[in-house]
Amino acid sequence: QVHVAESGGGLVQDGGSLRLSCAASGLTSSSYAVSWFRQAPGKEREFVAALRRMGWRTFYADSVKDRFTISRDSATKMVYLQMNDLTPKDTAVYYCAAAQQSPILSAIRRDDMYHYWGQGTQVTVSS
């Protein structure tokens, strides 16, 4: 059974940093994927970043590339999203999602490819 839970959200000022954590247990496949999505008020959920078990490749949305980093701690198996240089546009509920079998590369940014989701954590960036 796969279980996903996020933590680490909060309130931060414009230009600040936050690190989100995702505990994704039960991922037994050698080709799983763990991703972050976010949803701002009145907007659709959007892809943020992904980590693919095969080759430990990472993928980012253009809007966060060079500011956000997705990583995994091999000892704890936690997946992190380090967010730097935050702006009010980054304000959203952030969700961690997992798939036992990673989506193909062309679909890795699609939220319907992930079967397991956390409850979300609020990130608010004040101006």
Side-chain angles (χ1 to χ4, degrees):
Q1 186 75 8
V2 177
H3 182 70
V4 179
E6 316 91 339
S7 61
L11 174 65
V12 65
Q13 290 189 331
D14 192 355
S17 298
L18 272 178
R19 189 178 78 161
L20 304 182
S21 301
C22 175
S25 61
L27 292 172
T28 57
S29 165
S30 61
S31 59
Y32 67 78
V34 177
S35 294
W36 289 93
F37 291 80
R38 66 186 182 185
Q39 187 166 22
K43 294 189 175 181
E44 292 188 354
R45 187 161 57 191
E46 65 174 1
F47 170 79
V48 176
L51 175 68
R52 203 165 185 243
R53 171 65 180 82
M54 281 191 292
W56 297 112
R57 287 187 63 180
T58 58
F59 306 84
Y60 296 94
D62 288 343
S63 59
V64 306
K65 201 171 183 180
D66 299 327
R67 298 188 299 125
F68 290 12
T69 302
I70 187 170
S71 63
R72 175 184 177 270
D73 185 309
S74 58
T76 64
K77 299 184 180 179
M78 294 284 287
V79 175
Y80 299 102
L81 184 68
Q82 178 66 43
M83 305 185 294
N84 298 328
D85 195 21
L86 286 161
T87 76
K89 290 183 179 180
D90 296 312
T91 294
V93 176
Y94 283 71
Y95 297 91
C96 182
Q100 282 281 21
Q101 298 297 329
S102 173
I104 59 175
L105 296 186
S106 60
I108 204 162
R109 292 170 173 80
R110 287 174 46 182
D111 60 0
D112 61 336
M113 293 287 104
Y114 297 84
H115 304 112
Y116 306 100
W117 290 80
Q119 78 287 353
T121 185
Q122 177 71 47
V123 172
T124 302
V125 185
S126 63
S127 57

